[in-house]
Structures are given as C-alpha cells and as structure tokens.
Amino acid sequence: MSKFEKTPYVVNVRDLLHRPGEMREHDLSIPLTEDMGEGLVAVRAGESIDVDVRLESVHEGVLVSAEVSATADGECGRCLTDISLPVEVEFQELFAYSSGEAFEYEVQDDHVDLESLIRDAVVLALPFQPVCRPDCPGLDPETGLRIEEHPELGERVQHDPRWAALAGLGASSDISDSSHERAEQQKES
C-alpha cells in the first residue's frame, strides 16, 4: 500500500525514470488554500502561484528546476498602507531514486512533491520589513498620522534631550556682534 497523496504540488515523472537525458517542462498554476508566509506580507489564500518546472532525468534521479512567481499582499512596515509585491524565485533540487543513501528529497511512487520546496522558496523571498517605496517617510511618532499626507509633521525639528545641557554653549550674540564689528573695521582700514 502506498503512502502517496496527490496534491497540486505533485508532478508525475514516470516517463522520465531511469532515462538519463530525457527532459519535460510543465507550467503549473497552484491555487493556495492557506496563506504562504507570516508577518506584514504573505501570498494570501485564494491566490495562485505560477510555477514553470523543468524535469530532467539524470543517473541519480530527477533534477527539478523551477521558476515560481506570485503576488504577496500586506502592508508597508513604515506607513501601514496596503501594498502588493511581486515574488519571483528560482530553485533547483535533485529528487533521488530510492536507495540506501539518505537524500532529502526522493522520487516516491513515480512522482515528485514540490510543496516544501515551493513554500520555502516563496516564504524566504518575502521581505521582513516591506515598504511601499524606498523613501517612504512613515508615521509621525507623536500623532500616528502619515507624514506623506501631513507634510508639516515632517518639518518639525526633533531635539535630542541628551544634548540639552550643551544647547546653551552655542555662539552667543555678544561674540557674533564683536566679530562682526572687527570685520567692519578691517574693511575700513
């Protein structure tokens, strides 16, 4: 009895087994039943992932090369607006024929299961701190308003309280007045 379960990620490779040099290509569109990714952005359930797969028979097994593309939805890490980001990744992995050696991936029942490879590639390609654009000004720390919608908030001068003791040591007006007078006297001479 087989422990094989047919899913959209599983590809039949029966026609490639033990035929080194044979090659097949498949275009898969896999609908997601659950989110792929955690955090601020993820490829959401209901979306589909497009996978261009190239299967090559080699002496040790089946070499799988794939290009995966999808769209991740979420929010900007700075200003919290909704964003959509393209996700495009590639991977290559050998699915070995069952043998006495330990391989991470093996051909099972004339099929290869790409689910864990696709999931790992997509999730690792998602940005940890996504932004709507590289120069996003973010939110005002005091009011929580978006600085882009309220430009006057971004113009406030922030004073670091650690430098407050040095603020009084700046150039005084007496010094600047006397240096101005000296400059005037030198011009007259």
Side-chain angles (χ1 to χ4, degrees), residues 102-133:
F103 287 97
E104 190 169 353
Y105 300 101
E106 291 185 355
V107 176
Q108 295 181 353
D109 298 326
D110 301 338
H111 292 80
V112 293
D113 188 354
L114 305 176
E115 183 172 10
S116 63
L117 289 169
I118 292 172
R119 183 172 302 281
D120 290 349
V122 169
V123 171
L124 290 173
L126 295 174
F128 182 68
Q129 288 291 330
V131 290
C132 56
R133 61 179 208 265

PDB file of all heavy atoms in Angstrom, residues 102-133:
ATOM      1  N   ALA A 102      20.938   8.402   2.210  1.00  0.00           N
ATOM      2  CA  ALA A 102      19.970   9.370   2.733  1.00  0.00           C
ATOM      3  C   ALA A 102      19.957  10.610   1.846  1.00  0.00           C
ATOM      4  O   ALA A 102      20.956  11.304   1.715  1.00  0.00           O
ATOM      5  CB  ALA A 102      20.328   9.747   4.154  1.00  0.00           C
ATOM      6  N   PHE A 103      18.827  10.866   1.214  1.00  0.00           N
ATOM      7  CA  PHE A 103      18.628  12.076   0.422  1.00  0.00           C
ATOM      8  C   PHE A 103      17.466  12.847   1.019  1.00  0.00           C
ATOM      9  O   PHE A 103      16.514  12.253   1.527  1.00  0.00           O
ATOM     10  CB  PHE A 103      18.305  11.731  -1.040  1.00  0.00           C
ATOM     11  CG  PHE A 103      19.484  11.235  -1.821  1.00  0.00           C
ATOM     12  CD1 PHE A 103      19.706   9.871  -1.990  1.00  0.00           C
ATOM     13  CD2 PHE A 103      20.375  12.123  -2.384  1.00  0.00           C
ATOM     14  CE1 PHE A 103      20.787   9.421  -2.709  1.00  0.00           C
ATOM     15  CE2 PHE A 103      21.466  11.681  -3.101  1.00  0.00           C
ATOM     16  CZ  PHE A 103      21.669  10.323  -3.266  1.00  0.00           C
ATOM     17  N   GLU A 104      17.543  14.157   0.930  1.00  0.00           N
ATOM     18  CA  GLU A 104      16.470  14.975   1.484  1.00  0.00           C
ATOM     19  C   GLU A 104      15.178  14.809   0.685  1.00  0.00           C
ATOM     20  O   GLU A 104      14.094  14.782   1.248  1.00  0.00           O
ATOM     21  CB  GLU A 104      16.895  16.440   1.517  1.00  0.00           C
ATOM     22  CG  GLU A 104      15.942  17.303   2.285  1.00  0.00           C
ATOM     23  CD  GLU A 104      16.485  18.691   2.536  1.00  0.00           C
ATOM     24  OE1 GLU A 104      17.657  18.957   2.232  1.00  0.00           O
ATOM     25  OE2 GLU A 104      15.716  19.516   3.043  1.00  0.00           O
ATOM     26  N   TYR A 105      15.310  14.702  -0.633  1.00  0.00           N
ATOM     27  CA  TYR A 105      14.138  14.543  -1.491  1.00  0.00           C
ATOM     28  C   TYR A 105      14.310  13.284  -2.331  1.00  0.00           C
ATOM     29  O   TYR A 105      15.385  13.029  -2.857  1.00  0.00           O
ATOM     30  CB  TYR A 105      13.970  15.762  -2.402  1.00  0.00           C
ATOM     31  CG  TYR A 105      13.800  17.045  -1.636  1.00  0.00           C
ATOM     32  CD1 TYR A 105      14.870  17.927  -1.468  1.00  0.00           C
ATOM     33  CD2 TYR A 105      12.583  17.371  -1.051  1.00  0.00           C
ATOM     34  CE1 TYR A 105      14.721  19.100  -0.743  1.00  0.00           C
ATOM     35  CE2 TYR A 105      12.430  18.533  -0.332  1.00  0.00           C
ATOM     36  CZ  TYR A 105      13.496  19.397  -0.179  1.00  0.00           C
ATOM     37  OH  TYR A 105      13.348  20.545   0.538  1.00  0.00           O
ATOM     38  N   GLU A 106      13.224  12.527  -2.457  1.00  0.00           N
ATOM     39  CA  GLU A 106      13.268  11.295  -3.245  1.00  0.00           C
ATOM     40  C   GLU A 106      12.049  11.204  -4.136  1.00  0.00           C
ATOM     41  O   GLU A 106      10.994  11.748  -3.826  1.00  0.00           O
ATOM     42  CB  GLU A 106      13.307  10.066  -2.323  1.00  0.00           C
ATOM     43  CG  GLU A 106      14.592   9.920  -1.551  1.00  0.00           C
ATOM     44  CD  GLU A 106      14.650   8.630  -0.747  1.00  0.00           C
ATOM     45  OE1 GLU A 106      13.644   7.891  -0.714  1.00  0.00           O
ATOM     46  OE2 GLU A 106      15.707   8.370  -0.160  1.00  0.00           O
ATOM     47  N   VAL A 107      12.208  10.492  -5.255  1.00  0.00           N
ATOM     48  CA  VAL A 107      11.077  10.170  -6.121  1.00  0.00           C
ATOM     49  C   VAL A 107      10.256   9.125  -5.378  1.00  0.00           C
ATOM     50  O   VAL A 107      10.786   8.101  -4.946  1.00  0.00           O
ATOM     51  CB  VAL A 107      11.568   9.615  -7.485  1.00  0.00           C
ATOM     52  CG1 VAL A 107      10.386   9.191  -8.328  1.00  0.00           C
ATOM     53  CG2 VAL A 107      12.413  10.644  -8.206  1.00  0.00           C
ATOM     54  N   GLN A 108       8.962   9.394  -5.195  1.00  0.00           N
ATOM     55  CA  GLN A 108       8.094   8.449  -4.498  1.00  0.00           C
ATOM     56  C   GLN A 108       6.928   8.073  -5.396  1.00  0.00           C
ATOM     57  O   GLN A 108       6.207   8.955  -5.871  1.00  0.00           O
ATOM     58  CB  GLN A 108       7.574   9.043  -3.199  1.00  0.00           C
ATOM     59  CG  GLN A 108       8.661   9.298  -2.186  1.00  0.00           C
ATOM     60  CD  GLN A 108       8.112   9.858  -0.894  1.00  0.00           C
ATOM     61  OE1 GLN A 108       6.938  10.173  -0.791  1.00  0.00           O
ATOM     62  NE2 GLN A 108       8.965   9.983   0.097  1.00  0.00           N
ATOM     63  N   ASP A 109       6.769   6.780  -5.609  1.00  0.00           N
ATOM     64  CA  ASP A 109       5.663   6.266  -6.427  1.00  0.00           C
ATOM     65  C   ASP A 109       5.591   6.964  -7.788  1.00  0.00           C
ATOM     66  O   ASP A 109       4.513   7.389  -8.214  1.00  0.00           O
ATOM     67  CB  ASP A 109       4.328   6.409  -5.697  1.00  0.00           C
ATOM     68  CG  ASP A 109       4.284   5.602  -4.416  1.00  0.00           C
ATOM     69  OD1 ASP A 109       4.894   4.520  -4.383  1.00  0.00           O
ATOM     70  OD2 ASP A 109       3.639   6.066  -3.459  1.00  0.00           O
ATOM     71  N   ASP A 110       6.725   7.145  -8.430  1.00  0.00           N
ATOM     72  CA  ASP A 110       6.828   7.762  -9.755  1.00  0.00           C
ATOM     73  C   ASP A 110       6.401   9.228  -9.775  1.00  0.00           C
ATOM     74  O   ASP A 110       5.965   9.741 -10.807  1.00  0.00           O
ATOM     75  CB  ASP A 110       6.010   6.979 -10.794  1.00  0.00           C
ATOM     76  CG  ASP A 110       6.447   5.538 -10.915  1.00  0.00           C
ATOM     77  OD1 ASP A 110       7.598   5.232 -10.552  1.00  0.00           O
ATOM     78  OD2 ASP A 110       5.643   4.711 -11.384  1.00  0.00           O
ATOM     79  N   HIS A 111       6.504   9.908  -8.633  1.00  0.00           N
ATOM     80  CA  HIS A 111       6.108  11.316  -8.521  1.00  0.00           C
ATOM     81  C   HIS A 111       7.142  12.085  -7.707  1.00  0.00           C
ATOM     82  O   HIS A 111       7.857  11.504  -6.889  1.00  0.00           O
ATOM     83  CB  HIS A 111       4.744  11.445  -7.841  1.00  0.00           C
ATOM     84  CG  HIS A 111       3.613  10.919  -8.656  1.00  0.00           C
ATOM     85  ND1 HIS A 111       3.309   9.584  -8.732  1.00  0.00           N
ATOM     86  CD2 HIS A 111       2.714  11.553  -9.437  1.00  0.00           C
ATOM     87  CE1 HIS A 111       2.266   9.406  -9.514  1.00  0.00           C
ATOM     88  NE2 HIS A 111       1.880  10.586  -9.966  1.00  0.00           N
ATOM     89  N   VAL A 112       7.179  13.415  -7.920  1.00  0.00           N
ATOM     90  CA  VAL A 112       7.963  14.317  -7.077  1.00  0.00           C
ATOM     91  C   VAL A 112       6.999  15.319  -6.446  1.00  0.00           C
ATOM     92  O   VAL A 112       6.083  15.808  -7.099  1.00  0.00           O
ATOM     93  CB  VAL A 112       9.081  15.046  -7.862  1.00  0.00           C
ATOM     94  CG1 VAL A 112      10.135  14.063  -8.324  1.00  0.00           C
ATOM     95  CG2 VAL A 112       8.545  15.834  -9.023  1.00  0.00           C
ATOM     96  N   ASP A 113       7.192  15.589  -5.158  1.00  0.00           N
ATOM     97  CA  ASP A 113       6.333  16.518  -4.427  1.00  0.00           C
ATOM     98  C   ASP A 113       7.101  17.822  -4.224  1.00  0.00           C
ATOM     99  O   ASP A 113       8.099  17.866  -3.501  1.00  0.00           O
ATOM    100  CB  ASP A 113       5.931  15.916  -3.089  1.00  0.00           C
ATOM    101  CG  ASP A 113       4.891  16.744  -2.362  1.00  0.00           C
ATOM    102  OD1 ASP A 113       4.556  17.858  -2.826  1.00  0.00           O
ATOM    103  OD2 ASP A 113       4.407  16.279  -1.318  1.00  0.00           O
ATOM    104  N   LEU A 114       6.641  18.891  -4.851  1.00  0.00           N
ATOM    105  CA  LEU A 114       7.331  20.175  -4.837  1.00  0.00           C
ATOM    106  C   LEU A 114       6.852  21.126  -3.741  1.00  0.00           C
ATOM    107  O   LEU A 114       7.370  22.237  -3.616  1.00  0.00           O
ATOM    108  CB  LEU A 114       7.162  20.860  -6.193  1.00  0.00           C
ATOM    109  CG  LEU A 114       7.593  20.060  -7.418  1.00  0.00           C
ATOM    110  CD1 LEU A 114       7.262  20.827  -8.685  1.00  0.00           C
ATOM    111  CD2 LEU A 114       9.061  19.732  -7.351  1.00  0.00           C
ATOM    112  N   GLU A 115       5.891  20.715  -2.932  1.00  0.00           N
ATOM    113  CA  GLU A 115       5.273  21.638  -1.973  1.00  0.00           C
ATOM    114  C   GLU A 115       6.278  22.278  -1.017  1.00  0.00           C
ATOM    115  O   GLU A 115       6.312  23.500  -0.878  1.00  0.00           O
ATOM    116  CB  GLU A 115       4.177  20.943  -1.168  1.00  0.00           C
ATOM    117  CG  GLU A 115       3.482  21.896  -0.211  1.00  0.00           C
ATOM    118  CD  GLU A 115       2.274  21.296   0.471  1.00  0.00           C
ATOM    119  OE1 GLU A 115       2.055  20.080   0.375  1.00  0.00           O
ATOM    120  OE2 GLU A 115       1.528  22.065   1.103  1.00  0.00           O
ATOM    121  N   SER A 116       7.099  21.503  -0.350  1.00  0.00           N
ATOM    122  CA  SER A 116       8.019  22.100   0.634  1.00  0.00           C
ATOM    123  C   SER A 116       9.054  22.998  -0.039  1.00  0.00           C
ATOM    124  O   SER A 116       9.421  24.046   0.502  1.00  0.00           O
ATOM    125  CB  SER A 116       8.702  21.019   1.469  1.00  0.00           C
ATOM    126  OG  SER A 116       9.496  20.193   0.654  1.00  0.00           O
ATOM    127  N   LEU A 117       9.508  22.622  -1.233  1.00  0.00           N
ATOM    128  CA  LEU A 117      10.469  23.471  -1.960  1.00  0.00           C
ATOM    129  C   LEU A 117       9.842  24.804  -2.347  1.00  0.00           C
ATOM    130  O   LEU A 117      10.455  25.862  -2.183  1.00  0.00           O
ATOM    131  CB  LEU A 117      10.967  22.751  -3.207  1.00  0.00           C
ATOM    132  CG  LEU A 117      11.904  21.574  -2.974  1.00  0.00           C
ATOM    133  CD1 LEU A 117      12.097  20.794  -4.258  1.00  0.00           C
ATOM    134  CD2 LEU A 117      13.225  22.057  -2.441  1.00  0.00           C
ATOM    135  N   ILE A 118       8.628  24.762  -2.870  1.00  0.00           N
ATOM    136  CA  ILE A 118       7.942  25.995  -3.280  1.00  0.00           C
ATOM    137  C   ILE A 118       7.661  26.869  -2.071  1.00  0.00           C
ATOM    138  O   ILE A 118       7.931  28.069  -2.070  1.00  0.00           O
ATOM    139  CB  ILE A 118       6.652  25.673  -4.058  1.00  0.00           C
ATOM    140  CG1 ILE A 118       7.001  25.043  -5.409  1.00  0.00           C
ATOM    141  CG2 ILE A 118       5.797  26.916  -4.236  1.00  0.00           C
ATOM    142  CD1 ILE A 118       5.812  24.513  -6.179  1.00  0.00           C
ATOM    143  N   ARG A 119       7.134  26.260  -1.012  1.00  0.00           N
ATOM    144  CA  ARG A 119       6.807  27.032   0.198  1.00  0.00           C
ATOM    145  C   ARG A 119       8.065  27.695   0.775  1.00  0.00           C
ATOM    146  O   ARG A 119       8.059  28.890   1.083  1.00  0.00           O
ATOM    147  CB  ARG A 119       6.161  26.122   1.240  1.00  0.00           C
ATOM    148  CG  ARG A 119       5.732  26.845   2.502  1.00  0.00           C
ATOM    149  CD  ARG A 119       4.938  25.947   3.423  1.00  0.00           C
ATOM    150  NE  ARG A 119       3.750  25.410   2.796  1.00  0.00           N
ATOM    151  CZ  ARG A 119       2.605  26.067   2.619  1.00  0.00           C
ATOM    152  NH1 ARG A 119       2.516  27.322   3.022  1.00  0.00           N
ATOM    153  NH2 ARG A 119       1.576  25.511   2.046  1.00  0.00           N
ATOM    154  N   ASP A 120       9.143  26.944   0.905  1.00  0.00           N
ATOM    155  CA  ASP A 120      10.380  27.514   1.450  1.00  0.00           C
ATOM    156  C   ASP A 120      10.911  28.640   0.577  1.00  0.00           C
ATOM    157  O   ASP A 120      11.319  29.691   1.082  1.00  0.00           O
ATOM    158  CB  ASP A 120      11.454  26.435   1.589  1.00  0.00           C
ATOM    159  CG  ASP A 120      11.148  25.436   2.690  1.00  0.00           C
ATOM    160  OD1 ASP A 120      10.214  25.676   3.492  1.00  0.00           O
ATOM    161  OD2 ASP A 120      11.837  24.396   2.741  1.00  0.00           O
ATOM    162  N   ALA A 121      10.907  28.455  -0.736  1.00  0.00           N
ATOM    163  CA  ALA A 121      11.436  29.476  -1.644  1.00  0.00           C
ATOM    164  C   ALA A 121      10.610  30.758  -1.572  1.00  0.00           C
ATOM    165  O   ALA A 121      11.159  31.865  -1.501  1.00  0.00           O
ATOM    166  CB  ALA A 121      11.478  28.942  -3.071  1.00  0.00           C
ATOM    167  N   VAL A 122       9.288  30.630  -1.555  1.00  0.00           N
ATOM    168  CA  VAL A 122       8.423  31.814  -1.535  1.00  0.00           C
ATOM    169  C   VAL A 122       8.531  32.536  -0.201  1.00  0.00           C
ATOM    170  O   VAL A 122       8.712  33.759  -0.148  1.00  0.00           O
ATOM    171  CB  VAL A 122       6.957  31.430  -1.842  1.00  0.00           C
ATOM    172  CG1 VAL A 122       6.017  32.583  -1.554  1.00  0.00           C
ATOM    173  CG2 VAL A 122       6.822  30.994  -3.287  1.00  0.00           C
ATOM    174  N   VAL A 123       8.432  31.808   0.892  1.00  0.00           N
ATOM    175  CA  VAL A 123       8.463  32.444   2.214  1.00  0.00           C
ATOM    176  C   VAL A 123       9.803  33.139   2.461  1.00  0.00           C
ATOM    177  O   VAL A 123       9.850  34.247   2.990  1.00  0.00           O
ATOM    178  CB  VAL A 123       8.147  31.413   3.321  1.00  0.00           C
ATOM    179  CG1 VAL A 123       8.398  31.992   4.698  1.00  0.00           C
ATOM    180  CG2 VAL A 123       6.700  30.955   3.197  1.00  0.00           C
ATOM    181  N   LEU A 124      10.902  32.513   2.054  1.00  0.00           N
ATOM    182  CA  LEU A 124      12.208  33.140   2.249  1.00  0.00           C
ATOM    183  C   LEU A 124      12.416  34.357   1.346  1.00  0.00           C
ATOM    184  O   LEU A 124      13.250  35.215   1.648  1.00  0.00           O
ATOM    185  CB  LEU A 124      13.324  32.125   2.030  1.00  0.00           C
ATOM    186  CG  LEU A 124      13.424  31.044   3.110  1.00  0.00           C
ATOM    187  CD1 LEU A 124      14.449  29.995   2.712  1.00  0.00           C
ATOM    188  CD2 LEU A 124      13.756  31.656   4.454  1.00  0.00           C
ATOM    189  N   ALA A 125      11.674  34.461   0.259  1.00  0.00           N
ATOM    190  CA  ALA A 125      11.803  35.605  -0.647  1.00  0.00           C
ATOM    191  C   ALA A 125      10.990  36.811  -0.181  1.00  0.00           C
ATOM    192  O   ALA A 125      11.206  37.927  -0.664  1.00  0.00           O
ATOM    193  CB  ALA A 125      11.371  35.208  -2.054  1.00  0.00           C
ATOM    194  N   LEU A 126      10.076  36.608   0.763  1.00  0.00           N
ATOM    195  CA  LEU A 126       9.254  37.721   1.241  1.00  0.00           C
ATOM    196  C   LEU A 126      10.093  38.655   2.103  1.00  0.00           C
ATOM    197  O   LEU A 126      10.877  38.201   2.935  1.00  0.00           O
ATOM    198  CB  LEU A 126       8.064  37.191   2.058  1.00  0.00           C
ATOM    199  CG  LEU A 126       7.052  36.365   1.292  1.00  0.00           C
ATOM    200  CD1 LEU A 126       6.019  35.780   2.257  1.00  0.00           C
ATOM    201  CD2 LEU A 126       6.372  37.176   0.208  1.00  0.00           C
ATOM    202  N   PRO A 127       9.939  39.975   1.923  1.00  0.00           N
ATOM    203  CA  PRO A 127      10.729  40.913   2.734  1.00  0.00           C
ATOM    204  C   PRO A 127      10.265  40.919   4.184  1.00  0.00           C
ATOM    205  O   PRO A 127       9.078  40.801   4.470  1.00  0.00           O
ATOM    206  CB  PRO A 127      10.466  42.266   2.064  1.00  0.00           C
ATOM    207  CG  PRO A 127       9.167  42.102   1.362  1.00  0.00           C
ATOM    208  CD  PRO A 127       9.074  40.656   0.966  1.00  0.00           C
ATOM    209  N   PHE A 128      11.229  41.048   5.101  1.00  0.00           N
ATOM    210  CA  PHE A 128      10.914  41.087   6.526  1.00  0.00           C
ATOM    211  C   PHE A 128      10.259  42.415   6.896  1.00  0.00           C
ATOM    212  O   PHE A 128       9.336  42.455   7.694  1.00  0.00           O
ATOM    213  CB  PHE A 128      12.189  40.865   7.342  1.00  0.00           C
ATOM    214  CG  PHE A 128      11.956  40.836   8.816  1.00  0.00           C
ATOM    215  CD1 PHE A 128      11.253  39.791   9.405  1.00  0.00           C
ATOM    216  CD2 PHE A 128      12.431  41.844   9.631  1.00  0.00           C
ATOM    217  CE1 PHE A 128      11.026  39.766  10.761  1.00  0.00           C
ATOM    218  CE2 PHE A 128      12.218  41.825  10.991  1.00  0.00           C
ATOM    219  CZ  PHE A 128      11.510  40.779  11.563  1.00  0.00           C
ATOM    220  N   GLN A 129      10.756  43.513   6.335  1.00  0.00           N
ATOM    221  CA  GLN A 129      10.197  44.843   6.564  1.00  0.00           C
ATOM    222  C   GLN A 129       9.829  45.454   5.215  1.00  0.00           C
ATOM    223  O   GLN A 129      10.584  46.260   4.668  1.00  0.00           O
ATOM    224  CB  GLN A 129      11.200  45.747   7.295  1.00  0.00           C
ATOM    225  CG  GLN A 129      11.398  45.403   8.745  1.00  0.00           C
ATOM    226  CD  GLN A 129      10.168  45.702   9.567  1.00  0.00           C
ATOM    227  OE1 GLN A 129       9.391  46.610   9.279  1.00  0.00           O
ATOM    228  NE2 GLN A 129       9.960  44.926  10.609  1.00  0.00           N
ATOM    229  N   PRO A 130       8.680  45.095   4.645  1.00  0.00           N
ATOM    230  CA  PRO A 130       8.307  45.631   3.337  1.00  0.00           C
ATOM    231  C   PRO A 130       7.943  47.110   3.414  1.00  0.00           C
ATOM    232  O   PRO A 130       7.444  47.578   4.436  1.00  0.00           O
ATOM    233  CB  PRO A 130       7.081  44.792   2.961  1.00  0.00           C
ATOM    234  CG  PRO A 130       6.486  44.404   4.273  1.00  0.00           C
ATOM    235  CD  PRO A 130       7.655  44.225   5.209  1.00  0.00           C
ATOM    236  N   VAL A 131       8.236  47.840   2.342  1.00  0.00           N
ATOM    237  CA  VAL A 131       7.874  49.253   2.273  1.00  0.00           C
ATOM    238  C   VAL A 131       7.161  49.523   0.959  1.00  0.00           C
ATOM    239  O   VAL A 131       7.397  48.855  -0.048  1.00  0.00           O
ATOM    240  CB  VAL A 131       9.113  50.173   2.401  1.00  0.00           C
ATOM    241  CG1 VAL A 131       9.678  50.120   3.805  1.00  0.00           C
ATOM    242  CG2 VAL A 131      10.177  49.827   1.407  1.00  0.00           C
ATOM    243  N   CYS A 132       6.292  50.527   0.971  1.00  0.00           N
ATOM    244  CA  CYS A 132       5.537  50.876  -0.234  1.00  0.00           C
ATOM    245  C   CYS A 132       6.458  51.486  -1.283  1.00  0.00           C
ATOM    246  O   CYS A 132       6.250  51.314  -2.470  1.00  0.00           O
ATOM    247  CB  CYS A 132       4.378  51.798   0.105  1.00  0.00           C
ATOM    248  SG  CYS A 132       4.842  53.319   0.966  1.00  0.00           S
ATOM    249  N   ARG A 133       7.480  52.202  -0.809  1.00  0.00           N
ATOM    250  CA  ARG A 133       8.529  52.732  -1.687  1.00  0.00           C
ATOM    251  C   ARG A 133       9.749  52.993  -0.808  1.00  0.00           C
ATOM    252  O   ARG A 133       9.619  53.213   0.399  1.00  0.00           O
ATOM    253  CB  ARG A 133       8.073  53.989  -2.414  1.00  0.00           C
ATOM    254  CG  ARG A 133       7.705  55.145  -1.539  1.00  0.00           C
ATOM    255  CD  ARG A 133       7.294  56.359  -2.380  1.00  0.00           C
ATOM    256  NE  ARG A 133       7.577  57.561  -1.666  1.00  0.00           N
ATOM    257  CZ  ARG A 133       6.693  58.202  -0.921  1.00  0.00           C
ATOM    258  NH1 ARG A 133       5.468  57.750  -0.829  1.00  0.00           N
ATOM    259  NH2 ARG A 133       7.041  59.304  -0.288  1.00  0.00           N
TER     260      ARG A 133
END
